[in-house]
Every structure is written in C-alpha cells, then in structure tokens.
Amino acid sequence: MNFINQLARAERLHDSLLCVGLDPEPGKFPGAWKGDAARIYDFCARIVDATKDLVVAFKPQIAYFAAQRAEDQLERLMAHIKRVAPDVPVILDAKRGDIGSTAEQYAREAYERYQADAVTLSPFMGFDSIEPYLRHPDKGAILLCRTSNPGGNDWQMQRLADLPGQPRLYEHLAALAQSAWNRNGQLGLVVGATYPAEIARVRELAPTLPLLIPGVGAQGGDAVATVQAGLVRDAAGAITGPIVVNSSRAILYASNGDDFAEAARRVALATRATLNAAR
Ligand SMILES: O=C(O)c1cc(=O)[nH]c(=O)n1[C@@H]1O[C@H](COP(=O)(O)O)[C@@H](O)[C@H]1O
C-alpha cells in the first residue's frame, strides 16, 4: 500500500487529522528519566502506545535523535511503531536536500534504514535533488513549501519576476508539485498552521496533494482556520486532498510527571476533537 493510501486508511480508521510529532528532548522528560538520553526510546514508545489509536500519522524529527547519538533508538522506535501501530504511516522529518548522488543515500536512509513511509525534503536545490526519492514509488516525499517559521518570509514569499503572473516562490513550488514534479503521485507539501491564508492558496494550486501542516499547539497556529483552509470539498462533497496536522511539544510535554503518557493522550484527544469539529 502506498503512502497516500496509508494516510487515507489511517484517517478513516482513527477518524483523525492529527499527527503526533516525536521530538524527544531529554531535558523535558519526566521524573527519573529527566536528562537521560538513554530513555529516548522508552519515552517515545510510551507516547506512541498512548496515542496510536488517535492519529493519522507519527512524525519523528531526526535531529532530536541524532543530536543525542540516538539513531539506534530511532531505529527501534520505527520498528516499535510498525509492530504496535501497523496502520499508522510514519513521516520521518529530516528536511533533506542535496545533489542527486547524495540524495540517493538520504532516500535509502529514510526509507530502508528507518523504514519511513514518507520523508520531509527541502526543494531548494531543485528537481534533481528530489528525483532520487521518486525511485521509491510507494513512499511519500513531502516538500517544504510555506513553512511555519517567520523566516519563511525571507524566500518563500518572494515573487519570481521571470515567470508569468510573477508567482511567489511557494506558489510556484505548489504548482510544480501538483504537476510536472509529481511523476508517481508521491509528493506532498508542508504548509505552516501559522499561515492559514497561504494554506488556502496552496490548496488552490495543489488541490489533491497531502498537506503536512505543523504549527498548532506550541507555535500557536489556529487549528480551526487550518482545517477550514486545507480541507476543501469538490462539487460532489468529497475531500479533494488530505491534511495531516502535526503537534509535537504540546502533546509530548503535556505533563512532566509520571502521568505524562495519559496527559499526552488527553491533549491528543482534545486536539483531534478540535480538528474534527472544524471539518
Ligand atoms: O517539516 C516540519 O515538520 C516542520 C515544518 C515547518 O514549517 N515547521 C515546523 O515546525 N516543522 C516541524 O514540526 C514540529 C513542530 O513542533 P511543535 O511546534 O512542538 O508542535 C517540529 O518537529 C518542526 O521541526
């Protein structure tokens, strides 16, 4: 089953648009685990176990593992998710982007070493930096388009004077990802929940692509506006393209006590309900 179908199945099974982001910071771990990088797997596995029936996807961020020399724990965590939540696709957030020969290695790292179902990519280096991921046709490749951070304005909002209509960079990318670049139908786009107007614009330009939308929770993005902008219906009332709304810190660190997993589940339930109410 390919990534797009995995997403559709998980959304249906769990009635959810919510992706739980796995960004483990040992300094924020509860009780005796605080500061202990050897507990990264244990912490994340508890979060996975507590939320696996509530989510459309999980999104581990590779930097939180690599910075702690904990890639082995990420491998174990990926295997754990496959075992306990085989219906939930996993998006490896790695934001890779490099020349083709190096991109081939990054693709193998994400899809083979870590068994990810999809990976986030920076499209700054152009199509030949994306193409190696398309040689894995069942996997997803999700391109940064209009990111949630303020610095996204530096490039993404600039107009391309040489192109007809002078689109903004993020608009041009959304149009390419919906058309010429999407050879096997694997591409998705990242659009921040902090910019609902641009989510709506991306949805116009890329009506069928999955949108990964981080920025609700800790970054203060508007969950209701996000869903209203990203979930669009066709004339027959069917959703044109899926959305996957990520929250990491607000769920992971809902409590710093021994009840952290229960607290994470409570926040995940509430966030799922808020997203669903806005559909
Ligand atoms: O690609 C991403 O996931 C991403 C893109 C973006 O534009 N903004 C963004 O915050 N992210 C990631 O989404 C997560 C957001 O975490 P919280 O702000 O704690 O919910 C982090 O792992 C970020 O690296």
Side-chain angles (χ1 to χ4, degrees):
M1 183 180 285
N2 69 24
F3 174 64
I4 307 286
N5 292 333
Q6 285 177 305
L7 272 184
R9 183 177 63 176
E11 184 197 326
R12 201 174 53 247
L13 282 176
H14 298 161
D15 185 24
S16 183
L17 304 171
L18 174 66
C19 172
V20 170
L22 299 166
D23 299 7
E25 285 185 64
K28 294 183 177 170
F29 288 176
W33 290 3
K34 190 173 164 71
D36 186 354
R39 293 294 187 172
I40 286 178
Y41 168 84
D42 295 322
F43 177 81
C44 292
R46 289 280 303 278
I47 297 284
V48 165
D49 294 348
T51 59
K52 63 186 181 343
D53 58 325
L54 304 179
V55 297
V56 66
F58 285 112
K59 184 179 74 71
Q61 208 324 321
I62 197 168
Y64 289 88
F65 297 83
Q68 303 287 347
R69 304 176 196 277
E71 289 94 336
D72 58 327
Q73 296 186 67
L74 177 55
E75 284 181 357
R76 286 168 58 208
L77 178 64
M78 296 298 255
H80 178 74
I81 298 173
K82 296 286 165 197
R83 198 165 52 243
V84 302
D87 294 329
V88 178
V90 184
I91 301 166
L92 183 67
D93 185 6
K95 299 187 181 68
R96 301 302 195 199
D98 210 323
I99 63 167
S101 51
T102 304
E104 273 176 37
Q105 304 305 317
Y106 278 138
R108 289 185 52 202
E109 178 197 41
Y111 299 145
E112 293 172 12
R113 177 178 180 189
Y114 292 118
Q115 302 182 59
D117 300 297
V119 65
T120 57
L121 302 175
S122 166
F124 188 72
M125 289 178 73
F127 182 70
D128 60 1
S129 72
I130 303 300
E131 194 272 336
Y133 300 88
L134 307 186
R135 293 181 214 148
H136 301 258
D138 286 346
K139 303 290 189 177
I142 306 178
L143 312 184
L144 298 178
C145 181
R146 174 50 168 142
T147 57
S148 65
N149 56 320
N153 290 337
D154 295 348
W155 307 118
Q156 297 155 15
M157 293 301 279
Q158 301 306 310
R159 292 194 180 276
L160 298 171
D162 291 344
L163 294 178
Q166 304 193 340
R168 296 187 192 275
L169 183 57
Y170 85 92
E171 294 176 310
H172 183 52
L173 179 74
L176 283 172
Q178 176 72 54
S179 58
W181 285 20
N182 203 9
R183 289 186 180 164
N184 306 319
Q186 294 163 259
L187 296 184
L189 294 168
V190 173
V191 199
T194 42
Y195 298 110
E198 279 101 306
I199 298 175
R201 180 65 180 140
V202 168
R203 192 37 102 206
E204 273 172 29
L205 294 162
T208 67
L209 296 195
L211 302 184
L212 171 61
I213 309 181
V216 303
Q219 295 178 53
D222 182 335
V224 171
T226 289
V227 175
Q228 288 169 351
L231 268 195
V232 171
R233 290 175 192 279
D234 65 17
I239 300 292
T240 59
I243 63 170
V244 173
V245 182
N246 182 82
S247 178
S248 303
R249 285 166 292 180
I251 292 174
L252 300 180
Y253 309 114
S255 162
N256 60 6
D258 289 340
D259 65 339
F260 76 96
E262 294 77 24
R265 182 174 176 83
R266 273 198 302 280
V267 176
L269 270 166
T271 311
R272 181 181 72 156
T274 303
L275 297 170
N276 281 345
R279 284 186 196 237

